[in-house]
Structures are given as structure tokens and as C-alpha cells.
Amino acid sequence: MSESLEKLQNRILSDARLKAEETIKEAQAKAQQILEEARRRAQKESEEIIAKAKVEAESVRRSILSSKVRVNRLRILDEKNRIVQDIIHTVEDQLSSIARTDRFENTAQRFVAEAARAVESDQPIVRVGFKDATKKSLDGMSRVLPKGGKLVIDEKPIDDLGGVIATDPEGRVVFNNTFKSRLERLDNQLLTLIASTVFAG
């Protein structure tokens, strides 16, 4: 009887050991599976973080390059603008000194005639003023006025650069035919012409 009890105990112990070993193996396999999954997840997350960081780094790099390009373009634009302004100032200096040239009389007469026509009056009042112009050089201007027109000679250049301003007798219609106003009227065309000539190619 005691022998069969011992066998029974041994079988129970053996079964328990087998069950314990199976449980341990299952637990180890499960632990290994969890570890592999965690490793795969960590690897995937790590790759995603690296990929995102690369995209952000590239975006920052492009932004820096774009800023540098923009700054360089602005510098070039500023320099071109300075050159154009220098050319315009040179032109203004030459225009303001026109009274010293042999083209002066014809130019001044044309300005007077244009201004007188523009106010559409039989009795226009035309003011004339150019730097360094003599009374003698301006006396001939009245020839291009209508018979009832009046010529007023200013001692100083009108509008800084010189020119002509015409009005009707009541002063209701005014036509500014100075170098400055003519340049302003041509402003965009003039800037485009200078830029295309100087910066062509």
C-alpha cells in the first residue's frame, strides 16, 4: 500500500514538474515574443523619429537657403535701384544746366508752346524759369505765344530743375511743363528704359 502511495506521489511530482516546465517554457516564449514586439516597436518609433527629424532638418536647411537667396536678391535690387537713382540724378543735373547749351532756346520755346496749347486759352499766362538763363535768351519765348498771351520770366528755376508753367487768365487751368513734372509723367517708362539698358543681358 505504501509502495503504491509512493508511486502515486512520484507521478504527481513528475506531472507537476512537467507542467511547471511547460508553464516556464510558455512564459519564456511569451516573454520573448513581448520582447521582440517591444524591440520592433522601438525600432519603428526610432525610424519614424529619425525620418521626421530629417524632414525637419531639410525644411530648416531650405528655409535658411531661401532666406539667404532673398537677402542676396534684396541686396542686388537695392544696388540696381541705387545705380538707377544715380543715373536719374545725373540726368536731372544735365537738364538743370540746359541754359548753358545751344539746345536751350529751341527746348524752351517748345516747352512754352506746349504749355500754352495745353491750357486752351487765347490769353495764357506762361511763367518761365531756368537755372542760369539770361533775360536775353528768354526774350524770344514770347514769339511762340498767342497774341493775347503773357510771358512772365522767373529769376529762379521753376520746380528746382527749371521749366514752364502755364495758366488761363483766371488761374483755373494749370499746366506744369517743368523738367521735374515731365520726368514724373515718364517715371515708370524712364525707370524701365534705364533698367533694361543698364542691366540688359
Side-chain angles (χ1 to χ4, degrees), residues 8-137:
L8 184 64
Q9 278 178 342
N10 285 341
R11 201 175 338 123
I12 289 168
L13 276 171
S14 175
D15 285 350
R17 271 193 213 104
L18 282 171
K19 199 142 186 112
E21 281 173 14
E22 278 177 29
T23 305
I24 288 167
K25 278 181 186 170
E26 281 176 17
Q28 284 175 337
K30 190 83 173 160
Q32 189 63 36
Q33 187 184 348
I34 290 167
L35 197 62
E36 285 300 317
E37 281 177 15
R39 198 174 284 134
R40 273 197 302 272
R41 211 168 28 247
Q43 180 70 26
K44 189 181 174 192
E45 284 175 9
S46 166
E47 285 169 3
E48 283 173 1
I49 289 167
I50 289 168
K52 192 177 176 187
K54 281 181 179 174
V55 168
E56 286 174 1
E58 181 61 18
S59 174
V60 168
R61 189 185 73 81
R62 283 185 181 162
S63 174
I64 289 167
L65 278 175
S66 176
S67 297
K68 284 181 179 176
V69 167
R70 225 179 357 259
V71 166
N72 284 340
R73 281 187 184 147
L74 284 173
R75 271 200 204 119
I76 291 167
L77 207 60
D78 280 348
E79 189 57 26
K80 283 182 174 181
N81 190 42
R82 191 190 61 73
I83 291 168
V84 168
Q85 291 306 318
D86 284 350
I87 291 168
I88 288 172
H89 290 316
T90 304
V91 168
E92 287 177 348
D93 287 344
Q94 287 177 354
L95 290 175
S96 69
S97 306
I98 196 166
R100 296 188 211 133
T101 69
D102 52 6
R103 297 191 316 269
F104 174 63
E105 199 167 332
N106 286 338
T107 303
Q109 282 183 0
R110 196 175 77 245
F111 276 34
V112 169
E114 284 172 4
R117 272 197 309 276
V119 294
E120 295 180 344
S121 168
D122 294 332
Q123 299 173 311
I125 299 167
V126 181
R127 279 179 51 222
V128 180
F130 290 91
K131 181 182 169 189
D132 299 327
T134 61
K135 192 168 184 330
K136 184 184 173 191
S137 65

Side-chain angles (χ1 to χ4, degrees), residues 173-196:
V173 181
V174 179
F175 183 75
N176 188 331
N177 206 20
T178 60
F179 281 126
K180 193 171 255 182
S181 69
R182 289 170 79 99
L183 286 173
E184 282 168 5
R185 287 196 286 270
L186 288 170
D187 191 34
N188 286 337
Q189 286 172 268
L190 192 62
L191 291 176
T192 305
L193 177 67
I194 293 170
S196 63

